Amino acid sequence: MEILHVSAECYPVAKVGGLGDVVGALPKYQQELGNFAKVIVPAYRTRYYETHEFDVVHQGGMWMGHGWYHFNVLKERSNELGFDLYLVEIPGLLDTPGVYGYSNDTERFLGFQIAVLDWINEWNHLPDVIHCHDHHTGLIPFLLSYGYKYDRLKEVPTVLTIHNAQYQGQFGWDKLYLLPAFDLWKSGQLDWNGAINPLAAAIKCAWRVTTVSPGYMEELHENAAGLEGLIRHESAKMVGILNGIDTAIWDPSTDHMLNHTYDIQEVAEGKAANKQLLCERFGFDTSLPLISFIGRLVGDKGADLLPEIIGKTIYDFPGEVNFLVLGSGDPHIEWSLQQTRYLVSHGFNLHIGYDESLSHLIYAGSDFLLMPSRVEPCGLNQMYALRYGTIPIVRSTGGLKDTVIDFGDPGGVGIRFVQPAGWDACAAVRRAVQLYNDQPNFRTVQQRGMHENHAWGTSAQRYLDMYSNMK
Ligand code: ADP
């Protein structure tokens, strides 16, 4: 099968979170299973773009808002990622250093989608499936079905994967003129609550819709940031498929971002050496349990609960535990974490920013990874943690519920709590400290987690089975 993935992120080209990890891995595994997978993403001015070579395979132009934009589709030359990589270059729109957060994001991602469609329209054959990821690519299923220009692509099956339904990309009807001409009788398909909603349009128009875990699929029926009714209505074509992890990149025995690699046989020594590095860098005592958080500092991740969890634990149990936070996001949360650091003075440190290699060291050198998420469509961090022998402490929600069994239950690999509240997370942290102080039990839980297999294989096959059953 020939599969084209269209996405705003793809590791290592451009990554903000889990979307990048998934789109950098799934196509590779689909390719290994005997298919032909391609990925197309915007050509942001990232390090990857600056340091690789590309050939121009398609050129075009479009009106977008008040300007005419020229675009190129580039193909990466070395084919080092394990699938064919294409980038859409639109000077003036997509040549930004970052991925999101620009005032013209609507125009940027609309321009991206139009360029992708114009390019496919020029192929002398058709792909077997176009797989769109999140709202940035959500207008493609609609435009394929009803856009006049794309008539010959009408029968190409489309899939939408929802990585996070909180972000829908809505914009006002006053921007309708930005879209290429389509059958106006169908404009209701674009609408949700009086706005053009790319995520809702994709849920309506894609042939199949997936979520990144079965648990999240169920939750969306009750909590989908206003799309609950639509999700329930379209549930016959929806399925939850759990994300996997790229075990070639996330492997503590080969991880090139670590100075001290280790496998399950030498986990105690390996993790101790990495913990030593972390503790030196952040001023911690290595004999105490180290509990870390990695992620976007936003309410969905429960990052606003961290000051309370950290402050209360250190106040109640001074000198018993260390906390480390890596992340960036909401300025208010960043500020309260900085305040917490000054107030508690010992046992807590943080790094505000995005740092891929530090994240690997934290997975390797921490004893526990804390994820107090309010919403977690799948969550990859807990799976990386398990593979690196770091015990996850998670709130039971979405994909976290699907992947982490509490160590109090048979086969347990982590610690779970239920309420998205500081007091419940604090109780879970106390259980973590008790577990750490019972080293034989701690090692058993740690090894059990490392033995789990969260590789992509099974899930990549499930996507392929779904594609084959679409016609
Ligand atoms: P999200 O909702 O952000 O997509 P996921 O758990 O699906 O959450 O994926 C998060 C990914 O982003 C993981 O690979 C994690 O290690 C990485 N990540 C998040 N924040 C940072 C950061 N500040 N520095 C480095 N990596 C980060």
Side-chain angles (χ1 to χ4, degrees):
M1 259 190 271
E2 179 168 359
I3 307 141
L4 176 67
H5 290 273
V6 191
S7 169
E9 297 179 38
C10 171
Y11 180 82
V13 189
K15 167 179 164 184
V16 173
L19 171 63
D21 284 340
V22 171
V23 179
L26 172 62
K28 192 160 71 179
Y29 287 83
Q30 291 179 329
Q31 188 97 6
E32 280 172 15
L33 290 167
N35 301 278
F36 185 26
K38 297 176 172 179
V39 174
I40 186 157
V41 290
Y44 315 107
R45 293 300 186 256
T46 60
R47 208 182 126 62
Y48 189 93
Y49 172 86
E50 306 292 356
T51 54
H52 287 73
E53 294 190 340
F54 303 91
D55 296 310
V56 177
V57 294
H58 178 68
Q59 293 188 302
M62 69 181 90
W63 282 104
M64 180 54 60
H66 301 293
W68 171 259
Y69 292 90
H70 176 79
F71 69 82
N72 295 317
V73 177
L74 313 176
K75 182 172 190 286
E76 204 269 332
R77 231 179 246 171
S78 69
N79 203 10
E80 65 184 17
L81 298 181
F83 49 81
D84 284 353
L85 170 72
Y86 296 85
L87 301 186
V88 174
E89 190 172 49
I90 314 183
L93 278 186
L94 294 176
D95 52 346
T96 48
V99 176
Y100 312 118
Y102 297 92
S103 58
N104 62 344
D105 275 359
T106 298
E107 287 80 2
R108 291 171 71 236
F109 291 110
L110 192 49
F112 169 59
Q113 295 173 83
I114 292 170
V116 170
L117 286 170
D118 282 7
W119 170 58
I120 309 170
N121 221 7
E122 293 297 311
W123 294 12
N124 48 21
H125 66 289
L126 295 176
D128 291 304
V129 55
I130 299 181
H131 192 147
C132 302
H133 296 267
D134 272 353
H135 73 82
H136 325 94
T137 60
L139 294 172
I140 287 179
F142 173 84
L143 289 170
L144 278 188
S145 299
Y146 308 119
Y148 292 138
K149 241 176 122 178
Y150 311 115
D151 227 24
R152 75 177 268 269
L153 306 179
K154 249 191 178 64
E155 296 308 317
V156 179
T158 50
V159 171
L160 166 76
T161 293
I162 305 175
H163 296 255
N164 195 334
Q166 303 292 313
Y167 304 97
Q168 300 170 7
Q170 305 93 321
F171 55 94
W173 278 99
D174 54 326
K175 290 195 172 177
L176 180 67
Y177 73 100
L178 296 174
L179 271 66
F182 63 88
D183 182 354
L184 275 177
W185 289 105
K186 301 294 181 188
S187 47
Q189 303 275 7
L190 292 171
D191 187 81
W192 196 255
N193 277 342
I196 296 178
N197 185 316
L199 190 70
I203 294 170
K204 293 178 195 177
C205 299
W207 292 31
R208 291 284 189 284
V209 177
T210 72
T211 60
V212 288
S213 71
Y216 189 53
M217 176 85 266
E218 272 169 41
E219 275 175 25
L220 284 184
H221 288 244
E222 308 306 327
N223 177 13
L227 299 182
E228 300 79 8
L230 177 61
I231 302 263
R232 284 198 284 263
H233 184 258
E234 297 288 356
S235 60
K237 69 176 183 190
M238 298 185 69
V239 60
I241 301 179
L242 192 67
N243 281 341
I245 61 172
D246 189 334
T247 45
I249 292 174
W250 296 94
D251 180 349
S253 68
T254 56
D255 191 327
H256 67 272
M257 296 197 195
L258 297 181
N259 288 336
H260 303 285
T261 51
Y262 58 92
D263 60 18
I264 193 159
Q265 270 76 41
E266 57 209 25
V267 53
E269 305 77 36
K271 284 188 72 72
N274 286 295
K275 186 174 179 181
Q276 175 83 31
L277 288 180
L278 268 183
C279 289
E280 276 166 18
R281 178 159 166 190
F282 290 100
F284 293 140
D285 175 348
T286 48
S287 66
L288 301 180
L290 175 57
I291 302 179
S292 300
F293 172 97
I294 300 173
R296 293 180 293 117
L297 299 177
V298 295
D300 281 355
K301 297 281 177 200
D304 55 314
L305 302 173
L306 290 172
E308 181 190 343
I309 301 169
I310 294 167
K312 191 162 171 12
T313 306
I314 293 181
Y315 182 80
D316 288 347
F317 305 97
E320 282 193 41
V321 59
N322 292 320
F323 287 96
L324 177 61
V325 169
L326 165 64
S328 62
D330 181 340
H332 181 71
I333 299 179
E334 291 182 1
W335 180 85
S336 20
L337 282 166
Q338 267 150 351
Q339 292 301 308
T340 308
R341 180 170 54 178
Y342 293 124
L343 287 173
V344 301
S345 76
H346 288 295
F348 170 46
N349 213 335
L350 82 159
H351 179 97
I352 299 284
Y354 187 93
D355 188 331
E356 191 74 29
S357 60
L358 177 58
S359 77
H360 284 242
L361 179 61
I362 295 177
Y363 288 117
S366 304
D367 300 299
F368 298 93
L369 188 84
L370 177 60
M371 300 182 72
S373 307
R374 287 195 176 78
V375 181
E376 197 61 81
C378 176
L380 296 169
N381 300 19
Q382 78 280 11
M383 296 195 256
Y384 299 147
L386 288 168
R387 191 155 166 82
Y388 282 65
T390 301
I391 297 175
I393 307 171
V394 304
R395 186 184 157 240
S396 288
T397 184
L400 297 176
K401 213 158 72 177
D402 290 340
T403 50
V404 180
I405 300 174
D406 190 274
F407 78 95
D409 293 323
V413 292
I415 297 173
R416 274 166 62 151
F417 61 98
V418 177
Q419 299 300 328
W423 60 268
D424 210 13
C426 281
V429 164
R430 276 200 292 281
R431 287 183 68 213
V433 176
Q434 281 160 3
L435 178 62
Y436 184 82
N437 292 333
D438 174 5
Q439 277 291 309
N441 203 8
F442 174 82
R443 294 283 168 215
T444 308
V445 178
Q446 180 182 56
Q447 300 236 348
R448 214 184 279 144
M450 285 184 89
H451 274 298
E452 287 206 335
N453 178 8
H454 290 285
W456 260 109
T458 321
S459 297
Q461 186 59 50
R462 287 200 63 198
Y463 276 108
L464 296 173
D465 295 342
M466 183 189 64
Y467 300 154
S468 330
N469 292 325
M470 279 199 302
K471 292 206 176 172

